[in-house]
Amino acid sequence: MNPDRPTDATAGPTGETIAIVGAGQAGFWAAQTLRKEGFTGRLVLIGEELHPPHERPPLSKAVLAGEAAADSTWLISLDALQALNLEWWPDTRVFRIERERKRFVLDSGETLAYNKLILCTGGRARMLSVPGSDDASVYALRTIGDAQALAPMLKPGRSIVVIGGGWIGLEVAATARKRGAKVTVLEAQSRLCERTVPKEISEHLLALHLAHGVNIILGAEASSIARQADGRTQISLADGRALVCDAIVAGIGLEPNDELAKEAGLECDRGVIVDSRCQTSDSNIFAAGDVAVAPNPWAGRPIRLESWQNAQEQGIAAGRAALGLPVDYKPLPWFWSDQYDMNLQIYGVPAPSHRVVSRGAPETGSFVLFYLDGDVIQAALGANSAKDLRFAKRLIEQKKSVDIALLTDMNTPMSKI
Ligand code: FAD
């Protein structure tokens, strides 16, 4: 028993304890919001990692490239964290939630009783399952430690194979090229980022990476990994081909950390199911960030958003909801990715049924593609067009008809549409 950690839910000055499990981006914003909104009770922020709450996007970009220090990702300094008057329990894992007793159990066996609980447990990098996947030359990228382990491998003379042509895989490929490593990307599907972008954008990404010297093999399925006598690693493909490299990076997606919730009997479906108040099937438990599956009117169904924007905004919403404040969280999804000198942004959820019109040509490197239902914009994807995309966001949210001739005319500022 740790004497600094009273286990009583009524240990706070106002007799209320709110505990947040997961001290990542969503957990941090929930904690900060609780204090900002006037919660004076006991606030406990528990996280498995040693680092203070931090953002992950730089881990595949500036931090991996060696251009930024790991602590530049911190969302708050240690002093400011202390000033929030919360108990931050780093390096601590919650093992089980006992809902009927409104308490949870840590790996150490300690327990903590709560009045309200917010689950912000995020997700973990999905692991490869082919034979040889546990070789030390196989890397994943989710944490600061992962980025620090991989970074030294990205240098001239080294050859990297990235498995997975999704966002993380492509950002690693871009950073590795920037650092002078040779890169091959293996993608099992017939196009890059197939799950998240329409084919026009997949083609743009393909052309971009080819132009930067990345070898991309589509429809490629890794079948086994084996370390050679010379210390290099051979990766065999299902079609009989084989590649030899110095490191393999698995960028094959995320597994939501929803086991705690599932074992506690909360409704889950590849993530913790919440309503637009971030409330789970237990009225005292909320969830936010990568682990939460929430209704989304823009997608027309409940979805789990793996994005910086959602981790922050849903974390804030969950903090407010835990205090009983009005919350109706229905975000227009927004995601960005930086690869080489391209900043790509996506607002909304493009669908195959949408008509696509273009503002600017993809060949120029700066363009926006609009996805329309009739003459109403449903989604916008663009490269190096941040200002136009900000206007596009407003047009999507307003759900107003637009004049397509004006929208696609580069001489008409977006502000005039
Ligand atoms: P996390 O940040 O994963 O935090 C969850 C925390 O909970 C972790 O620290 C974990 O250790 C802890 N935890 C889990 N289980 C327990 C337990 N039982 N007990 C205690 N603690 C627990 N998004 C974008 O929009 N644009 C980008 O360019 C972009 N780039 C990215 C690059 C990388 C390399 C990665 C990994 C992600 C990127 N993202 C990007 C996504 C974005 O960073 C995530 O959506 C965001 O970090 C999710 O925050 P979260 O708080 O929900 O989860």
Side-chain angles (χ1 to χ4, degrees):
M1 174 68 62
N2 183 338
D4 297 332
R5 295 180 176 181
T7 58
D8 181 357
T10 59
T14 58
E16 271 255 310
T17 294
I18 300 184
I20 301 169
V21 183
Q25 194 186 342
F28 163 75
W29 282 102
Q32 176 156 281
T33 302
L34 284 162
R35 285 296 185 234
K36 197 169 150 238
E37 295 290 357
F39 176 64
T40 54
R42 184 177 183 204
L43 182 53
V44 185
L45 178 62
I46 300 167
E48 262 188 301
E49 294 185 72
L50 277 169
H51 305 276
H54 54 277
E55 302 180 318
R56 301 197 189 275
L59 301 183
S60 49
K61 308 174 185 79
V63 172
L64 189 61
E67 292 163 356
D71 60 11
S72 67
T73 65
W74 292 7
L75 284 158
I76 188 165
S77 69
L78 290 174
D79 286 347
L81 192 63
Q82 206 168 17
L84 283 179
N85 187 27
L86 57 76
E87 293 171 47
W88 169 46
W89 298 0
D91 200 15
T92 303
R93 184 179 152 76
V94 173
F95 169 67
R96 188 174 63 240
I97 301 169
E98 296 175 347
R99 287 200 291 136
E100 64 294 349
R101 299 174 74 174
K102 285 179 79 176
R103 68 171 204 174
F104 53 80
V105 184
L106 307 181
D107 258 357
S108 61
E110 289 168 272
T111 58
L112 179 73
Y114 61 83
N115 299 100
K116 294 277 184 319
L117 177 62
I118 306 178
L119 298 175
C120 299
T121 47
R124 56 190 181 274
R126 186 173 297 140
M127 303 312 283
L128 283 171
S129 56
V130 300
S133 300
D134 55 353
D135 189 82
S137 63
V138 180
Y139 296 78
L141 183 55
R142 178 75 189 171
T143 64
I144 288 178
D146 293 340
Q148 287 171 332
L150 177 60
M153 300 304 297
L154 311 182
K155 59 183 184 192
R158 291 288 168 96
S159 172
I160 311 296
V161 171
V162 177
I163 302 184
W167 298 116
I168 301 280
L170 293 182
E171 289 192 352
V172 169
T175 303
R177 286 301 297 138
K178 202 163 152 185
R179 303 268 296 172
K182 257 181 83 181
V183 182
T184 296
V185 173
L186 305 178
E187 168 53 53
Q189 303 301 322
S190 58
R191 59 183 180 86
L192 299 173
C193 292
E194 189 177 42
R195 203 172 50 84
T196 45
V197 294
K199 67 175 184 340
E200 305 80 21
I201 299 292
S202 296
E203 282 160 15
H204 186 68
L205 291 168
L206 179 66
L208 180 76
H209 281 271
L210 291 177
H212 282 86
V214 178
N215 176 29
I216 297 195
I217 309 180
L218 299 172
E221 229 175 287
S223 59
S224 68
I225 292 165
R227 189 68 76 95
Q228 302 184 148
D230 63 1
R232 303 191 79 208
T233 302
Q234 175 170 307
I235 171 160
S236 304
L237 307 188
D239 64 7
R241 280 182 283 181
L243 302 162
V244 175
C245 62
D246 300 295
I248 294 170
V249 184
I252 54 170
L254 174 132
E255 290 295 339
N257 289 326
D258 63 357
E259 292 81 1
L260 262 186
K262 257 194 270 185
E263 282 157 23
L266 297 176
E267 273 175 40
C268 292
D269 180 11
R270 283 198 49 73
V272 185
I273 296 178
V274 296
D275 60 15
S276 65
R277 297 192 68 252
C278 307
Q279 189 175 294
T280 67
S281 49
D282 179 324
S283 61
N284 293 308
I285 305 182
F286 302 81
D290 279 13
V291 79
V293 181
N296 190 291
W298 304 98
R301 64 194 151 86
I303 53 173
R304 205 169 47 71
L305 287 166
E306 293 172 22
S307 75
W308 178 94
Q309 169 221 22
N310 182 62
Q312 173 166 326
E313 292 180 2
Q314 203 176 23
I316 292 172
R320 288 176 51 83
L323 293 178
L325 296 168
V327 170
D328 188 18
Y329 181 68
K330 291 176 182 161
L332 175 69
W334 174 54
F335 178 85
W336 90 90
S337 175
D338 292 321
Q339 298 170 34
Y340 311 107
D341 53 1
M342 179 200 68
N343 168 258
L344 185 98
Q345 298 191 33
I346 308 173
Y347 283 102
V349 184
S353 60
H354 292 152
R355 174 160 65 123
V356 191
V357 298
S358 162
R359 180 179 171 87
E363 309 81 72
T364 63
S366 166
F367 65 93
V368 180
L369 299 181
F370 295 96
Y371 292 78
L372 297 117
D373 198 353
D375 53 7
V376 177
I377 309 173
Q378 303 294 328
L381 280 80
N384 296 339
S385 301
K387 196 168 157 213
D388 281 0
L389 282 158
R390 274 197 298 278
F391 284 109
K393 173 182 188 267
R394 272 196 241 162
L395 292 172
I396 299 169
E397 285 173 337
Q398 288 167 0
K399 299 182 182 171
K400 279 191 192 151
S401 295
V402 291
D403 183 327
I404 311 264
L406 292 182
L407 189 67
T408 53
D409 175 15
M410 290 293 275
N411 294 318
T412 305
M414 283 290 288
S415 56
K416 297 272 181 294
I417 296 166

